[in-house]
Amino acid sequence: MKENEGVGEFQDMVSEVLIRHRSVLDCLSKYQESTARVNRSIIKAVTDCGCISISANKKQYPAKDSLKECGKLMDSHLKGKLCESCREVVAEELGKHLFYLTALCNTLDYKLDDLISNEHERISMLGHFLLS
Ligand SMILES: [Zn+2]
C-alpha cells in the first residue's frame, strides 16, 4: 500500500468540490485567510477559553549537548492542553487550511502526495541539522 494513498483521493475531491475558487487569486486569498483563522482559533483558546496559556522567554541553548538532546529541552511555550471544544475548532481550521493548500496545489499542478514525499525525504536526509 502506498504511504499517502488518502492524500491523492483528498486532492481529487478538493478539485471536484471547488468550483468558486479556481482562480489562483481566490486560492491565494482563501489560503492566507485560512492561516489567519488557524492562528485566531489558537489565540482564542488562550484568551477566550483559557484551556491553554502561553509562557515564553528567551531560548536557552545548552552549550555542549548534541542537537538531538537540544531538541528535548526546547519549550513549546504552551501550558495546559486544548479542551475538547477548542481542539475541535482548531482541528476544523487546520482542515480548512489543508483544503486551501490543496486547492493551491491543484491550481499550480502539484501533487500533494509528491510534496509530502519529497519533504519527508528532505527531512530524513537533513535529520537533526534542520533547525528551522
Ligand atoms: Zn478551550
Side-chain angles (χ1 to χ4, degrees):
M1 193 167 107
K2 210 172 163 203
E3 197 175 325
N4 303 315
E5 198 172 295
V7 175
E9 288 175 25
F10 175 69
Q11 185 161 11
D12 289 344
M13 183 165 279
V14 170
S15 179
E16 283 170 26
V17 299
L18 203 70
I19 294 167
R20 280 179 51 211
H21 301 289
R22 291 214 179 259
S23 156
V24 71
L25 296 174
D26 284 338
C27 277
L28 285 170
S29 68
K30 294 298 280 184
Y31 174 70
Q32 187 172 23
E33 184 186 16
S34 70
T35 308
R37 291 184 64 98
V38 168
N39 293 351
R40 184 170 169 75
S41 68
I42 296 166
I43 291 167
K44 287 279 186 189
V46 175
T47 59
D48 277 6
C49 178
C51 57
I52 57 171
S53 63
I54 296 170
S55 173
N57 45 35
K58 187 178 175 190
K59 291 175 186 170
Q60 303 287 334
Y61 295 99
K64 289 188 175 175
D65 283 338
S66 71
L67 283 171
K68 194 172 183 179
E69 293 300 311
C70 191
K72 287 181 191 164
L73 297 170
M74 297 315 287
D75 192 349
S76 71
H77 299 139
L78 281 174
K79 304 289 175 231
K81 290 255 180 204
L82 286 171
C83 70
E84 204 174 308
S85 169
C86 291
R87 189 166 187 79
E88 203 172 293
V89 173
V90 172
E92 194 175 310
E93 297 301 349
L94 284 170
K96 286 178 187 166
H97 182 65
L98 283 176
F99 181 91
Y100 286 110
L101 169 69
T102 306
L104 194 56
C105 288
N106 285 343
T107 307
L108 298 169
D109 200 23
Y110 283 109
K111 284 198 182 307
L112 195 55
D113 189 5
D114 291 344
L115 297 183
I116 291 170
S117 297
N118 291 344
E119 190 63 13
H120 188 178
E121 196 173 314
R122 194 180 73 88
I123 292 168
S124 303
M125 282 171 45
L126 290 174
H128 294 289
F129 292 102
L130 190 70
L131 293 173
S132 60

